[in-house]
mmCIF file of all heavy atoms in Angstrom:
data_model
loop_
_atom_site.group_PDB
_atom_site.id
_atom_site.type_symbol
_atom_site.label_atom_id
_atom_site.label_comp_id
_atom_site.label_asym_id
_atom_site.label_seq_id
_atom_site.Cartn_x
_atom_site.Cartn_y
_atom_site.Cartn_z
ATOM 1 N N GLY A 1581 14.874 12.626 8.916
ATOM 2 C CA GLY A 1581 14.363 11.315 8.530
ATOM 3 C C GLY A 1581 12.934 11.053 8.930
ATOM 4 O O GLY A 1581 12.328 10.075 8.487
ATOM 5 N N ALA A 1582 12.374 11.915 9.764
ATOM 6 C CA ALA A 1582 11.011 11.702 10.259
ATOM 7 C C ALA A 1582 9.998 12.466 9.418
ATOM 8 O O ALA A 1582 10.221 13.618 9.048
ATOM 9 C CB ALA A 1582 10.895 12.148 11.710
ATOM 10 N N ARG A 1583 8.875 11.784 9.105
ATOM 11 C CA ARG A 1583 7.762 12.436 8.409
ATOM 12 C C ARG A 1583 6.519 12.315 9.284
ATOM 13 O O ARG A 1583 6.318 11.303 9.971
ATOM 14 C CB ARG A 1583 7.493 11.778 7.060
ATOM 15 C CG ARG A 1583 8.585 11.970 6.038
ATOM 16 C CD ARG A 1583 8.209 11.290 4.729
ATOM 17 N NE ARG A 1583 7.168 12.027 4.015
ATOM 18 C CZ ARG A 1583 6.193 11.455 3.311
ATOM 19 N NH1 ARG A 1583 6.080 10.138 3.254
ATOM 20 N NH2 ARG A 1583 5.301 12.198 2.678
ATOM 21 N N PHE A 1584 5.661 13.332 9.212
ATOM 22 C CA PHE A 1584 4.569 13.425 10.162
ATOM 23 C C PHE A 1584 3.201 13.621 9.510
ATOM 24 O O PHE A 1584 3.084 14.207 8.433
ATOM 25 C CB PHE A 1584 4.808 14.610 11.116
ATOM 26 C CG PHE A 1584 6.088 14.519 11.890
ATOM 27 C CD1 PHE A 1584 7.223 15.170 11.430
ATOM 28 C CD2 PHE A 1584 6.157 13.776 13.048
ATOM 29 C CE1 PHE A 1584 8.415 15.096 12.137
ATOM 30 C CE2 PHE A 1584 7.344 13.690 13.763
ATOM 31 C CZ PHE A 1584 8.472 14.347 13.306
ATOM 32 N N CYS A 1585 2.197 13.135 10.249
ATOM 33 C CA CYS A 1585 0.805 13.497 10.012
ATOM 34 C C CYS A 1585 0.339 14.229 11.260
ATOM 35 O O CYS A 1585 -0.062 13.600 12.246
ATOM 36 C CB CYS A 1585 -0.055 12.252 9.780
ATOM 37 S SG CYS A 1585 -1.836 12.632 9.647
ATOM 38 N N PRO A 1586 0.420 15.560 11.286
ATOM 39 C CA PRO A 1586 -0.042 16.312 12.450
ATOM 40 C C PRO A 1586 -1.561 16.219 12.582
ATOM 41 O O PRO A 1586 -2.285 16.320 11.586
ATOM 42 C CB PRO A 1586 0.378 17.754 12.153
ATOM 43 C CG PRO A 1586 1.311 17.674 10.982
ATOM 44 C CD PRO A 1586 0.968 16.438 10.243
ATOM 45 N N THR A 1587 -2.014 16.021 13.800
ATOM 46 C CA THR A 1587 -3.445 15.910 14.080
ATOM 47 C C THR A 1587 -3.720 16.549 15.435
ATOM 48 O O THR A 1587 -2.944 16.386 16.361
ATOM 49 C CB THR A 1587 -3.882 14.431 14.125
ATOM 50 O OG1 THR A 1587 -3.498 13.776 12.931
ATOM 51 C CG2 THR A 1587 -5.384 14.308 14.303
ATOM 52 N N GLY A 1588 -4.838 17.255 15.519
ATOM 53 C CA GLY A 1588 -5.239 17.845 16.794
ATOM 54 C C GLY A 1588 -5.318 19.349 16.707
ATOM 55 O O GLY A 1588 -4.295 20.033 16.755
ATOM 56 N N GLY A 1589 -6.524 19.852 16.520
ATOM 57 C CA GLY A 1589 -6.739 21.292 16.485
ATOM 58 C C GLY A 1589 -6.489 21.934 15.137
ATOM 59 O O GLY A 1589 -6.483 23.163 15.023
ATOM 60 N N ILE A 1590 -6.280 21.134 14.089
ATOM 61 C CA ILE A 1590 -5.991 21.684 12.764
ATOM 62 C C ILE A 1590 -7.298 21.986 12.031
ATOM 63 O O ILE A 1590 -8.265 21.226 12.124
ATOM 64 C CB ILE A 1590 -5.124 20.706 11.958
ATOM 65 C CG1 ILE A 1590 -3.773 20.530 12.661
ATOM 66 C CG2 ILE A 1590 -4.905 21.204 10.535
ATOM 67 C CD1 ILE A 1590 -2.885 19.485 12.041
ATOM 68 N N SER A 1591 -7.301 23.095 11.320
ATOM 69 C CA SER A 1591 -8.506 23.554 10.616
ATOM 70 C C SER A 1591 -8.203 23.737 9.136
ATOM 71 O O SER A 1591 -7.050 23.639 8.696
ATOM 72 C CB SER A 1591 -8.962 24.896 11.194
ATOM 73 O OG SER A 1591 -7.980 25.901 10.918
ATOM 74 N N LEU A 1592 -9.240 24.028 8.375
ATOM 75 C CA LEU A 1592 -9.068 24.328 6.954
ATOM 76 C C LEU A 1592 -8.101 25.491 6.772
ATOM 77 O O LEU A 1592 -7.284 25.489 5.853
ATOM 78 C CB LEU A 1592 -10.422 24.665 6.323
ATOM 79 C CG LEU A 1592 -10.404 25.074 4.854
ATOM 80 C CD1 LEU A 1592 -9.953 23.919 3.971
ATOM 81 C CD2 LEU A 1592 -11.796 25.570 4.425
ATOM 82 N N ALA A 1593 -8.156 26.460 7.680
ATOM 83 C CA ALA A 1593 -7.299 27.641 7.560
ATOM 84 C C ALA A 1593 -5.843 27.336 7.888
ATOM 85 O O ALA A 1593 -4.928 27.872 7.249
ATOM 86 C CB ALA A 1593 -7.814 28.748 8.469
ATOM 87 N N SER A 1594 -5.602 26.477 8.870
ATOM 88 C CA SER A 1594 -4.221 26.214 9.296
ATOM 89 C C SER A 1594 -3.564 25.055 8.561
ATOM 90 O O SER A 1594 -2.334 24.948 8.534
ATOM 91 C CB SER A 1594 -4.172 25.949 10.808
ATOM 92 O OG SER A 1594 -4.904 24.784 11.156
ATOM 93 N N ALA A 1595 -4.362 24.188 7.945
ATOM 94 C CA ALA A 1595 -3.804 23.007 7.281
ATOM 95 C C ALA A 1595 -2.731 23.345 6.245
ATOM 96 O O ALA A 1595 -1.683 22.680 6.199
ATOM 97 C CB ALA A 1595 -4.918 22.178 6.646
ATOM 98 N N PRO A 1596 -2.924 24.367 5.383
ATOM 99 C CA PRO A 1596 -1.889 24.648 4.376
ATOM 100 C C PRO A 1596 -0.529 24.981 4.978
ATOM 101 O O PRO A 1596 0.508 24.677 4.382
ATOM 102 C CB PRO A 1596 -2.471 25.842 3.599
ATOM 103 C CG PRO A 1596 -3.948 25.710 3.761
ATOM 104 C CD PRO A 1596 -4.123 25.196 5.165
ATOM 105 N N ASP A 1597 -0.512 25.606 6.152
ATOM 106 C CA ASP A 1597 0.766 25.937 6.792
ATOM 107 C C ASP A 1597 1.509 24.667 7.193
ATOM 108 O O ASP A 1597 2.735 24.597 7.100
ATOM 109 C CB ASP A 1597 0.534 26.813 8.031
ATOM 110 C CG ASP A 1597 -0.030 28.185 7.675
ATOM 111 O OD1 ASP A 1597 0.249 28.666 6.557
ATOM 112 O OD2 ASP A 1597 -0.734 28.774 8.507
ATOM 113 N N TYR A 1598 0.769 23.668 7.651
ATOM 114 C CA TYR A 1598 1.393 22.378 7.977
ATOM 115 C C TYR A 1598 1.857 21.676 6.707
ATOM 116 O O TYR A 1598 2.972 21.152 6.648
ATOM 117 C CB TYR A 1598 0.395 21.484 8.720
ATOM 118 C CG TYR A 1598 0.195 21.828 10.168
ATOM 119 C CD1 TYR A 1598 -0.828 22.670 10.577
ATOM 120 C CD2 TYR A 1598 1.026 21.284 11.154
ATOM 121 C CE1 TYR A 1598 -1.017 22.976 11.909
ATOM 122 C CE2 TYR A 1598 0.844 21.585 12.487
ATOM 123 C CZ TYR A 1598 -0.176 22.431 12.873
ATOM 124 O OH TYR A 1598 -0.356 22.737 14.199
ATOM 125 N N LEU A 1599 1.002 21.649 5.695
ATOM 126 C CA LEU A 1599 1.320 20.917 4.471
ATOM 127 C C LEU A 1599 2.499 21.524 3.722
ATOM 128 O O LEU A 1599 3.133 20.849 2.909
ATOM 129 C CB LEU A 1599 0.086 20.870 3.567
ATOM 130 C CG LEU A 1599 -1.076 20.031 4.112
ATOM 131 C CD1 LEU A 1599 -2.341 20.272 3.301
ATOM 132 C CD2 LEU A 1599 -0.715 18.556 4.112
ATOM 133 N N ALA A 1600 2.817 22.776 4.000
ATOM 134 C CA ALA A 1600 3.956 23.425 3.348
ATOM 135 C C ALA A 1600 5.290 22.988 3.943
ATOM 136 O O ALA A 1600 6.345 23.224 3.341
ATOM 137 C CB ALA A 1600 3.818 24.942 3.457
ATOM 138 N N LEU A 1601 5.276 22.334 5.102
ATOM 139 C CA LEU A 1601 6.513 21.917 5.757
ATOM 140 C C LEU A 1601 7.085 20.683 5.069
ATOM 141 O O LEU A 1601 6.348 19.782 4.673
ATOM 142 C CB LEU A 1601 6.258 21.614 7.236
ATOM 143 C CG LEU A 1601 5.765 22.795 8.091
ATOM 144 C CD1 LEU A 1601 5.456 22.323 9.505
ATOM 145 C CD2 LEU A 1601 6.801 23.908 8.120
ATOM 146 N N PRO A 1602 8.408 20.599 4.940
ATOM 147 C CA PRO A 1602 9.013 19.473 4.225
ATOM 148 C C PRO A 1602 8.856 18.136 4.932
ATOM 149 O O PRO A 1602 8.939 17.085 4.289
ATOM 150 C CB PRO A 1602 10.493 19.870 4.133
ATOM 151 C CG PRO A 1602 10.711 20.817 5.276
ATOM 152 C CD PRO A 1602 9.421 21.573 5.400
ATOM 153 N N ASN A 1603 8.626 18.153 6.235
ATOM 154 C CA ASN A 1603 8.511 16.892 6.984
ATOM 155 C C ASN A 1603 7.066 16.507 7.272
ATOM 156 O O ASN A 1603 6.804 15.627 8.086
ATOM 157 C CB ASN A 1603 9.324 16.949 8.286
ATOM 158 C CG ASN A 1603 8.961 18.145 9.165
ATOM 159 O OD1 ASN A 1603 8.209 19.022 8.762
ATOM 160 N ND2 ASN A 1603 9.524 18.170 10.366
ATOM 161 N N VAL A 1604 6.117 17.137 6.600
ATOM 162 C CA VAL A 1604 4.696 16.803 6.771
ATOM 163 C C VAL A 1604 4.170 16.203 5.474
ATOM 164 O O VAL A 1604 4.290 16.803 4.400
ATOM 165 C CB VAL A 1604 3.869 18.055 7.146
ATOM 166 C CG1 VAL A 1604 2.371 17.773 7.066
ATOM 167 C CG2 VAL A 1604 4.245 18.510 8.553
ATOM 168 N N GLY A 1605 3.594 14.998 5.581
ATOM 169 C CA GLY A 1605 3.033 14.343 4.408
ATOM 170 C C GLY A 1605 1.551 14.601 4.249
ATOM 171 O O GLY A 1605 1.028 14.711 3.135
ATOM 172 N N CYS A 1606 0.846 14.694 5.371
ATOM 173 C CA CYS A 1606 -0.588 14.968 5.359
ATOM 174 C C CYS A 1606 -0.962 15.470 6.742
ATOM 175 O O CYS A 1606 -0.120 15.472 7.658
ATOM 176 C CB CYS A 1606 -1.389 13.709 5.016
ATOM 177 S SG CYS A 1606 -1.238 12.385 6.250
ATOM 178 N N VAL A 1607 -2.195 15.899 6.910
ATOM 179 C CA VAL A 1607 -2.701 16.294 8.224
ATOM 180 C C VAL A 1607 -3.970 15.505 8.518
ATOM 181 O O VAL A 1607 -4.653 15.041 7.605
ATOM 182 C CB VAL A 1607 -2.997 17.808 8.317
ATOM 183 C CG1 VAL A 1607 -1.745 18.626 8.056
ATOM 184 C CG2 VAL A 1607 -4.117 18.218 7.363
ATOM 185 N N GLY A 1608 -4.263 15.346 9.789
ATOM 186 C CA GLY A 1608 -5.524 14.747 10.192
ATOM 187 C C GLY A 1608 -6.450 15.829 10.697
ATOM 188 O O GLY A 1608 -6.005 16.803 11.320
ATOM 189 N N GLY A 1609 -7.747 15.672 10.424
ATOM 190 C CA GLY A 1609 -8.679 16.703 10.863
ATOM 191 C C GLY A 1609 -10.108 16.226 10.880
ATOM 192 O O GLY A 1609 -10.429 15.149 10.354
ATOM 193 N N THR A 1610 -10.950 17.040 11.473
ATOM 194 C CA THR A 1610 -12.370 16.711 11.593
ATOM 195 C C THR A 1610 -13.265 17.775 10.967
ATOM 196 O O THR A 1610 -14.488 17.617 10.974
ATOM 197 C CB THR A 1610 -12.767 16.566 13.074
ATOM 198 O OG1 THR A 1610 -12.507 17.819 13.742
ATOM 199 C CG2 THR A 1610 -11.976 15.470 13.768
ATOM 200 N N TRP A 1611 -12.659 18.858 10.429
ATOM 201 C CA TRP A 1611 -13.499 19.982 10.007
ATOM 202 C C TRP A 1611 -14.425 19.637 8.845
ATOM 203 O O TRP A 1611 -15.421 20.305 8.626
ATOM 204 C CB TRP A 1611 -12.639 21.202 9.673
ATOM 205 C CG TRP A 1611 -11.868 21.096 8.403
ATOM 206 C CD1 TRP A 1611 -12.322 21.385 7.140
ATOM 207 C CD2 TRP A 1611 -10.517 20.658 8.237
ATOM 208 N NE1 TRP A 1611 -11.330 21.162 6.212
ATOM 209 C CE2 TRP A 1611 -10.214 20.719 6.859
ATOM 210 C CE3 TRP A 1611 -9.525 20.236 9.125
ATOM 211 C CZ2 TRP A 1611 -8.968 20.364 6.338
ATOM 212 C CZ3 TRP A 1611 -8.291 19.880 8.614
ATOM 213 C CH2 TRP A 1611 -8.020 19.938 7.250
ATOM 214 N N MET A 1612 -14.097 18.590 8.068
ATOM 215 C CA MET A 1612 -14.984 18.206 6.957
ATOM 216 C C MET A 1612 -16.133 17.321 7.439
ATOM 217 O O MET A 1612 -16.939 16.852 6.639
ATOM 218 C CB MET A 1612 -14.190 17.536 5.834
ATOM 219 C CG MET A 1612 -13.676 16.137 6.101
ATOM 220 S SD MET A 1612 -12.495 15.985 7.477
ATOM 221 C CE MET A 1612 -11.187 17.063 6.959
ATOM 222 N N LEU A 1613 -16.208 17.114 8.749
ATOM 223 C CA LEU A 1613 -17.259 16.285 9.349
ATOM 224 C C LEU A 1613 -17.968 17.060 10.465
ATOM 225 O O LEU A 1613 -17.943 16.659 11.630
ATOM 226 C CB LEU A 1613 -16.638 15.010 9.931
ATOM 227 C CG LEU A 1613 -15.928 14.104 8.913
ATOM 228 C CD1 LEU A 1613 -15.016 13.127 9.628
ATOM 229 C CD2 LEU A 1613 -16.955 13.367 8.074
ATOM 230 N N PRO A 1614 -18.622 18.173 10.128
ATOM 231 C CA PRO A 1614 -19.311 18.944 11.166
ATOM 232 C C PRO A 1614 -20.356 18.069 11.863
ATOM 233 O O PRO A 1614 -21.102 17.347 11.191
ATOM 234 C CB PRO A 1614 -19.986 20.080 10.389
ATOM 235 C CG PRO A 1614 -19.294 20.124 9.067
ATOM 236 C CD PRO A 1614 -18.827 18.735 8.789
ATOM 237 N N PRO A 1615 -20.389 18.093 13.195
ATOM 238 C CA PRO A 1615 -21.333 17.236 13.916
ATOM 239 C C PRO A 1615 -22.778 17.400 13.454
ATOM 240 O O PRO A 1615 -23.525 16.419 13.383
ATOM 241 C CB PRO A 1615 -21.163 17.678 15.375
ATOM 242 C CG PRO A 1615 -19.746 18.168 15.448
ATOM 243 C CD PRO A 1615 -19.497 18.826 14.121
ATOM 244 N N ASP A 1616 -23.172 18.649 13.096
ATOM 245 C CA ASP A 1616 -24.561 18.848 12.678
ATOM 246 C C ASP A 1616 -24.818 18.195 11.321
ATOM 247 O O ASP A 1616 -25.910 17.664 11.076
ATOM 248 C CB ASP A 1616 -24.924 20.342 12.658
ATOM 249 C CG ASP A 1616 -24.055 21.159 11.718
ATOM 250 O OD1 ASP A 1616 -22.884 20.777 11.480
ATOM 251 O OD2 ASP A 1616 -24.540 22.191 11.226
ATOM 252 N N ALA A 1617 -23.812 18.191 10.436
ATOM 253 C CA ALA A 1617 -23.986 17.546 9.131
ATOM 254 C C ALA A 1617 -24.076 16.033 9.286
ATOM 255 O O ALA A 1617 -24.890 15.379 8.622
ATOM 256 C CB ALA A 1617 -22.825 17.915 8.216
ATOM 257 N N VAL A 1618 -23.240 15.468 10.149
ATOM 258 C CA VAL A 1618 -23.284 14.020 10.383
ATOM 259 C C VAL A 1618 -24.603 13.634 11.030
ATOM 260 O O VAL A 1618 -25.246 12.648 10.637
ATOM 261 C CB VAL A 1618 -22.091 13.574 11.246
ATOM 262 C CG1 VAL A 1618 -22.190 12.087 11.570
ATOM 263 C CG2 VAL A 1618 -20.772 13.863 10.522
ATOM 264 N N ALA A 1619 -25.031 14.435 12.016
ATOM 265 C CA ALA A 1619 -26.297 14.130 12.699
ATOM 266 C C ALA A 1619 -27.476 14.186 11.732
ATOM 267 O O ALA A 1619 -28.409 13.381 11.827
ATOM 268 C CB ALA A 1619 -26.516 15.108 13.859
ATOM 269 N N ALA A 1620 -27.416 15.131 10.782
ATOM 270 C CA ALA A 1620 -28.494 15.281 9.805
ATOM 271 C C ALA A 1620 -28.319 14.355 8.607
ATOM 272 O O ALA A 1620 -29.164 14.333 7.715
ATOM 273 C CB ALA A 1620 -28.562 16.729 9.323
ATOM 274 N N ARG A 1621 -27.216 13.603 8.607
ATOM 275 C CA ARG A 1621 -26.866 12.729 7.482
ATOM 276 C C ARG A 1621 -26.837 13.508 6.165
ATOM 277 O O ARG A 1621 -27.322 13.054 5.135
ATOM 278 C CB ARG A 1621 -27.820 11.534 7.414
ATOM 279 C CG ARG A 1621 -27.699 10.631 8.644
ATOM 280 C CD ARG A 1621 -28.667 9.466 8.612
ATOM 281 N NE ARG A 1621 -28.368 8.491 9.664
ATOM 282 C CZ ARG A 1621 -28.785 8.599 10.924
ATOM 283 N NH1 ARG A 1621 -29.527 9.640 11.282
ATOM 284 N NH2 ARG A 1621 -28.459 7.685 11.829
#
Side-chain angles (χ1 to χ4, degrees):
R1583 292 181 73 216
F1584 301 96
C1585 174
T1587 306
I1590 297 174
S1591 66
L1592 177 65
S1594 63
D1597 294 332
Y1598 283 94
L1599 293 168
L1601 298 176
N1603 54 352
V1604 169
C1606 64
V1607 300
T1610 60
W1611 73 85
M1612 72 298 301
L1613 299 163
D1616 59 332
V1618 176
R1621 296 178 170 83

